[in-house]
Amino acid sequence: MRRPTKVRTATALVTVLVSSLAVAPFANPLMAAAEQAIGPDELGATEPTGADMPTVGGNLGNQHYSALDQITKRNLDKLSPTWRTHVSAVAPASDDVGQQTTPIVIEGVIYLDTPNGGVVAVDGKSGEAKWKWVPEEFAPADTRRGVAAGDGKVYTLADGDRVVALDQETGEEEWGVQPTGPNGESLGNFDRVATVYHDGIVYAHAANGDRAAVAALDATDGSRLWHFFGGPSRGTVFTDVNGNSVDAGATWGPVLPDGTDCALEGGSTPWIHGAVDPELGMYYMTFGNARSCRTSQDGSQRPGDNLFSSTMVAVDAVTGDYKWHYQSIRHDVWDMDNVHPPTLADVKIDGDVRKVVFYGSKSGHQFVLDRTNGKPALPVVEKPMIQDSRQHHAKTQPFPKERLLPECVAWQKLDPKNVPGDPWRAVPNYNGYQPDKDGNLVFDPDSYVKADEPFLTYPSGQDHRKGCMYDPQWDLPILSTTSQNGGADWSNNAYSHKTNLVYYPYGTNPVAHWNGAAANGQRAMGQYQTGGILAYDASTGKVAWRNHLGTDMSHGQGPLATASNLLFAGQIDGRLLAMDAADGDVLWDFQTGSGIAGAPITYEIDGEQYVAVFAAGSTNPYGGSVTQGDSLWAFKVGGTYITDSGSQEGPSTAPLSIRRPVSGAPVEGSTVDNTVYLGRSSRTADTAAARDSKAQTGMQPTHLRVPVGATVKFLNPGAATFPNFPNELPHCATQFFEGEFNVKLKPGEVYEHTFDRAGEYFFNDCTDPRPTGKIEVVLTPEDRPGALHFKPSQLDLSSRTGTFTGVRGLVTAVLDVPAGYRFDDFAELETPLGGTPIAAVRTESSRGKVVVQFRKADLDNDVPEGSGVPLRLVANFVHHGEQKQVTSATEVTVIK
């Protein structure tokens, strides 16, 4: 479906934020070379790709930039699909869906991971499969992020920590190895990470394991050439190109009394692929957070900077010899590591052309480093940090002078007029920010955070934790930004030679840390999980524009830039976007029918430019709400591919869980007397462990479903409910973000609230904010057979241009409504193919009827052509002050 607006949200709950600065053409001294299409044999780190995109980063510097310019803003309305291949249907067929891979293309053939972990080669012009490999003697890997090719082979990963080489022409296995150290020691778990090839060497990264390494393998037979561990051995001194020396192992503190060396126990894994600079002869790799000795959020047993965690390391690409490192976070206890694929570029800074690498992701900022020596090419400041004496925090942390995303969460007033509010808004009660009588979130020094005060040291001018970067935590939850699932996480950058902008996809997902938090931090339940893309000037670091698209863009939704000043990016809701690279406006979009968690590619065959994307779904951060798939789509100007529905697009995907869901399935209110117990981990257990719960499930039930008009009781259970172990503390029910109610109850007290409108009402506790619940208030539809009809009843969804962008105009539905029913605020159309109902664009009430209009472009891909197509209208009304819902269905004829 195609909306006529240039910029729009993925959900009505999220406000589009677009800020623009004028972007002048970049006078790149290498521009003449940049205009030439570079073939795979001449692939370098900073030259744009041409007819092919031979690596998952486009070129060896992960620029995701192509010199192709046939697809432009002028002909974008003619860009349409030319073929679609369901890769799981290719023999040997499977029923697997979901994958995070970015394809590569060489001499017109696309190579990519399949959902079941195999590899498939697809003709880039026809979409026909050339071969498909699935291992027979061992299992495939599951989650994958891309293959590499070179020396006549394709390199992939498989189960058992295997690296496998396949014949590029036939897909036959050439070799398979399980890399180990020279004495047979484990190098970690080789899974997930894309492989990289250059000049006879395959670079493979171990994404997990007690100790994980980057390994360089001989492309001929897979034999190990060298490896580099993120957790270094004690006593090994590294001296960089600047003459600085460090015993990296010693930065993990002393060996523990039981003999444990924290550097060797876990963490510092290189879980994204690196970049190669053939001219400098260096390989650049990023290592993840420290997570050894107890947990990732407990640094008490590993005092020191913990090298090479949260660090970029440059080594000799052939020998593996250390060159330099840059640590972005010292002593990381937040899982805020910066593991974007490193992006290399030659840019002009203060009048001089500098060889730089862009480094940073989760932290919401990027360091622009000189890639010859690791020193900052753009200013970095050392900011003093709040310290917790139990954690051994570093006194300062490095911050780029120019920040890309907010450094702190926003504590916004609870108010129905302020929903959803700032994308970085915080859930109430965390960090002691509790609502006053007007709904303003105000810091309460006597709240739960008071217990940490004896251990905290504040920089001058600070006296409490505001939810900012690197706020310390111990065993109490402290909310901060960006998070282990926020910032840019593992999506790639793109760098444009035309605009000199770096394109940075991001997610917004504030997180609460404490030592026992699972998954390296708890994203606060009930918060909005959104995101977008921004662009910043590579020469200054200043943000040029930001488009907050409304869905998370930090988990594989990396952009692709082209020489025609277009930016292509996929979204997890299934849409492929084409944006103006100069200002971020959305110019074109296409619904693929399944979530996108990989970067688009572009290539040229027989003089025609194509754009392709793999839409296979994923999970982060929306879990099972993401629509999975297995479709490789290719587009060109004038493409004529038509789906089974008669539309060129796939059906709309299922709704995403934009708000972080609570734990537990819905419980019907009638089964529990419409009563929620506050501060209890069980509705029945009269035990000490169950009372005054601080668990995320400390509201019982966590998810209560009631009809509109129901009265819900919130009870702090006392001795009358649990005679042996009643609650001893007061507990709150703070509703957010509307501020519908906020009560504090002593043990035995009850509060009643009547819900007169449908919706989701999240609430949490002030005693400890982790317990979170949701009241789902629903309407029982009144079905009115025969009340719905369309004018005309034959829906003409044909295109004026022959492509999906030419489907224009409105469809008009008329619903007869009972006397006294006044239209409220909601009307949508349920279709036979779409996963999400279609929202109305216009409604009008007149004489017992409601006229509702929908865009034809929205309807096209969600209905089949032909007669007897069922459509159902759902609309909300108010009758005598009560909210009502009316539905009616009819059948229509659809022409395409």
Side-chain angles (χ1 to χ4, degrees):
M1 64 184 170
R2 185 174 188 266
R3 307 279 207 282
T5 52
K6 286 186 175 181
V7 181
R8 67 180 192 278
T9 61
T11 170
L13 295 175
V14 182
T15 303
V16 172
L17 303 177
V18 180
S19 58
S20 297
L21 298 176
V23 180
F26 175 51
N28 190 333
L30 305 177
M31 203 65 219
E35 293 292 346
Q36 303 299 315
I38 304 298
D41 293 337
E42 296 82 31
L43 187 67
T46 58
E47 297 84 1
T49 60
D52 295 331
M53 297 200 85
T55 78
V56 292
N59 59 11
L60 291 170
N62 294 317
Q63 288 187 338
H64 289 266
Y65 175 78
S66 172
L68 299 181
D69 59 4
Q70 186 183 100
I71 299 171
T72 68
K73 297 173 190 176
R74 290 185 176 182
N75 60 20
L76 195 56
D77 62 338
K78 298 181 178 65
L79 182 66
S80 50
T82 186
W83 55 259
R84 176 194 197 182
T85 299
H86 291 279
V87 299
S88 293
V90 176
S94 72
D95 58 2
D96 294 274
V97 292
Q99 192 54 277
Q100 299 174 351
T101 191
T102 293
I104 65 173
V105 58
I106 298 173
E107 296 181 351
V109 179
I110 300 173
Y111 303 90
L112 71 154
D113 306 296
T114 64
N116 75 340
V119 177
V120 65
V122 177
D123 186 291
K125 184 173 184 177
S126 68
E128 296 293 326
K130 293 174 63 69
W131 53 257
K132 183 179 182 180
W133 169 82
V134 177
E136 297 179 353
E137 297 181 359
F138 45 85
D142 46 17
T143 301
R144 293 297 322 286
R145 291 175 181 161
V147 300
D151 196 28
K153 293 182 274 291
V154 175
Y155 307 95
T156 187
L157 304 179
D159 191 50
D161 304 323
R162 288 179 170 85
V163 183
V164 179
L166 311 174
D167 185 284
Q168 189 171 333
E169 292 296 321
T170 66
E172 297 293 322
E173 289 181 31
E174 294 266 332
W175 50 256
V177 298
Q178 295 171 289
T180 60
N183 299 312
E185 63 268 34
S186 172
L187 299 182
N189 304 132
F190 289 89
D191 59 20
R192 192 166 307 194
V193 187
T195 51
V196 174
Y197 169 88
H198 175 64
D199 197 21
I201 298 177
V202 180
Y203 301 92
H205 291 214
N208 287 294
D210 286 344
R211 193 182 184 202
V214 172
L217 310 178
D218 190 316
T220 304
D221 58 9
S223 57
R224 184 191 64 85
L225 299 175
W226 56 261
H227 68 274
F228 191 98
F229 278 115
S233 298
R234 194 171 296 271
T236 303
V237 175
F238 295 85
T239 302
D240 67 14
V241 295
N242 305 301
N244 302 312
S245 297
V246 62
D247 179 350
T251 65
W252 292 77
V255 175
L256 300 182
D258 64 0
T260 299
D261 188 334
C262 293
L264 311 183
E265 187 182 79
S268 302
T269 60
W271 58 269
I272 208 73
H273 62 278
V276 184
D277 187 333
E279 180 184 354
L280 295 178
M282 292 190 193
Y283 184 72
Y284 303 89
M285 46 201 178
T286 55
F287 289 91
N289 64 301
R291 60 188 193 216
S292 61
C293 293
R294 294 183 179 160
T295 75
S296 62
Q297 293 157 105
D298 183 348
S300 61
Q301 293 186 315
R302 46 178 173 86
D305 288 348
N306 304 158
L307 289 171
F308 291 103
S309 72
S310 300
T311 302
M312 173 176 282
V313 178
V315 298
D316 186 287
V318 176
T319 66
D321 291 342
Y322 165 85
K323 295 294 185 181
W324 57 260
H325 76 270
Y326 189 90
Q327 189 172 38
S328 60
I329 305 172
R330 305 181 184 105
H331 191 73
D332 186 358
V333 293
W334 306 274
D335 188 11
M336 211 80 87
D337 49 22
N338 293 300
V339 288
H340 246 166
T343 305
L344 314 183
D346 297 336
V347 302
K348 185 177 286 188
I349 299 176
D350 295 332
D352 296 322
V353 176
R354 303 284 298 274
K355 295 181 181 296
V356 302
V357 54
F358 306 109
Y359 169 48
S361 62
K362 288 184 185 179
S363 56
H365 53 226
Q366 287 206 313
F367 298 92
V368 181
L369 307 176
D370 187 317
R371 67 178 185 272
T372 68
N373 56 28
K375 295 182 177 181
L378 289 180
V380 173
V381 296
E382 288 287 336
K383 290 190 176 184
M385 295 287 108
I386 305 172
Q387 296 173 267
D388 188 313
S389 60
R390 298 164 293 188
Q391 283 279 33
H392 303 298
H393 289 300
K395 292 183 179 180
T396 65
Q397 293 285 2
F399 281 70
K401 185 177 180 181
E402 298 292 341
R403 181 149 180 90
L404 304 182
L405 298 178
E407 189 175 320
C408 305
V409 298
W411 301 101
Q412 290 191 298
K413 180 179 180 179
L414 305 184
D415 190 319
K417 298 178 182 178
N418 194 27
V419 174
D422 189 295
W424 285 271
R425 80 177 306 169
V427 170
N429 289 325
Y430 279 94
N431 298 17
Y433 276 82
Q434 299 177 347
D436 63 15
K437 62 182 179 59
D438 296 318
N440 299 299
L441 297 184
V442 180
F443 176 68
D444 179 1
D446 292 322
S447 61
Y448 77 97
V449 297
K450 185 177 183 179
D452 282 342
E453 285 303 313
F455 308 97
L456 299 181
T457 301
Y458 294 98
S460 176
Q462 298 186 51
D463 60 4
H464 67 278
R465 291 165 290 185
K466 298 180 180 180
C468 301
M469 287 279 290
Y470 312 137
D471 274 357
Q473 81 285 332
W474 185 245
D475 55 4
L476 296 173
I478 297 299
L479 191 72
S480 62
T481 190
T482 50
S483 93
Q484 81 279 18
N485 278 96
D489 209 346
W490 58 268
S491 292
N492 62 269
N493 287 330
Y495 169 73
S496 171
H497 293 240
K498 280 290 185 70
T499 64
N500 194 41
L501 297 178
V502 179
Y503 302 97
Y504 179 97
Y506 63 88
T508 62
N509 234 322
V511 65
H513 291 289
W514 66 93
N515 283 349
N520 295 358
Q522 171 63 51
R523 288 165 278 164
M525 290 179 286
Q527 71 183 10
Y528 294 96
Q529 304 175 114
T530 59
I533 295 178
L534 62 81
Y536 70 91
D537 189 307
S539 297
T540 66
K542 294 183 180 296
V543 173
W545 56 258
R546 175 182 291 111
N547 190 338
H548 196 77
L549 294 164
T551 61
D552 179 277
M553 298 293 290
S554 68
H555 293 95
Q557 293 79 25
L560 163 71
T562 70
S564 55
N565 278 356
L566 290 175
L567 192 71
F568 292 92
Q571 293 187 268
I572 199 64
D573 65 2
R575 292 181 298 151
L576 176 66
L577 309 179
M579 307 171 71
D580 189 320
D583 60 19
D585 281 359
V586 176
L587 306 175
W588 173 98
D589 75 88
F590 180 91
Q591 176 56 256
T592 65
S594 47
I596 298 172
I601 59 171
T602 189
Y603 56 94
E604 183 179 89
I605 300 176
D606 296 336
E608 288 190 297
Q609 183 183 357
Y610 295 75
V611 171
V613 70
F614 191 41
S618 184
T619 55
N620 284 333
Y622 301 117
S625 70
V626 177
T627 300
Q628 307 297 307
D630 69 341
S631 295
L632 178 63
W633 290 86
F635 305 81
K636 70 175 184 178
V637 173
T640 58
Y641 172 79
I642 301 294
T643 70
D644 291 341
S645 73
S647 168
Q648 290 195 294
E649 294 181 277
S652 59
T653 55
L656 296 172
S657 297
I658 293 292
R659 296 189 74 170
R660 182 72 176 164
V662 297
S663 303
V667 174
E668 297 299 328
S670 59
T671 65
V672 291
D673 192 30
N674 283 6
T675 302
V676 177
Y677 290 172
L678 307 181
R680 298 297 292 197
S681 60
S682 169
R683 278 191 84 82
T684 57
D686 190 4
T687 63
R691 72 178 174 190
D692 292 314
S693 176
K694 297 180 181 180
Q696 294 143 30
T697 56
M699 303 290 186
Q700 287 296 322
T702 55
H703 183 174
L704 185 74
R705 183 158 53 199
V706 298
V708 166
T711 297
V712 174
K713 291 177 285 188
F714 297 87
L715 172 67
N716 184 355
T721 309
F722 296 106
N724 297 318
F725 295 96
N727 279 359
E728 297 178 333
L729 301 175
H731 292 282
C732 292
T734 302
Q735 194 278 321
F736 59 91
F737 292 100
E738 294 81 3
E740 183 85 5
F741 51 85
N742 177 40
V743 294
K744 188 172 187 178
L745 305 176
K746 298 176 182 178
E749 291 184 333
V750 65
Y751 164 74
E752 296 186 357
H753 190 85
T754 299
F755 292 88
D756 58 6
R757 294 190 64 81
E760 292 183 323
Y761 299 84
F762 288 84
F763 60 97
N764 68 355
D765 197 353
C766 60
T767 301
D768 188 295
R770 285 171 286 194
T772 307
K774 181 179 77 171
I775 309 297
E776 180 187 1
V777 183
V778 297
L779 284 164
T780 301
E782 301 175 7
D783 188 35
R784 299 187 60 79
L788 175 66
H789 57 280
F790 284 79
K791 290 186 176 182
S793 60
Q794 184 171 276
L795 308 186
D796 185 354
L797 304 183
S798 57
S799 169
R800 298 180 303 171
T801 62
T803 61
F804 78 102
T805 58
V807 179
R808 301 288 177 84
L810 300 175
V811 167
T812 300
V814 179
L815 179 69
D816 298 327
V817 296
Y821 275 53
R822 176 175 54 84
F823 180 73
D824 194 8
D825 61 352
F826 170 86
E828 64 182 19
L829 195 65
E830 296 177 354
T831 62
L833 303 180
T836 299
I838 298 169
V841 295
R842 186 181 301 163
T843 59
E844 182 178 338
S845 299
S846 176
R847 297 182 181 179
K849 299 180 184 297
V850 174
V851 179
V852 188
Q853 292 186 312
F854 303 90
R855 291 190 184 98
K856 289 183 177 181
D858 294 350
L859 188 61
D860 177 34
N861 53 311
D862 284 350
V863 295
E865 58 183 335
S867 60
V869 177
L871 297 173
R872 177 176 292 275
L873 183 70
V874 181
N876 287 355
F877 297 84
V878 175
H879 182 240
H880 295 316
E882 295 183 21
Q883 193 178 33
K884 302 285 186 180
Q885 188 171 85
V886 172
T887 70
S888 187
T890 190
E891 293 184 352
V892 297
T893 297
V894 176
I895 299 173
K896 296 188 179 182

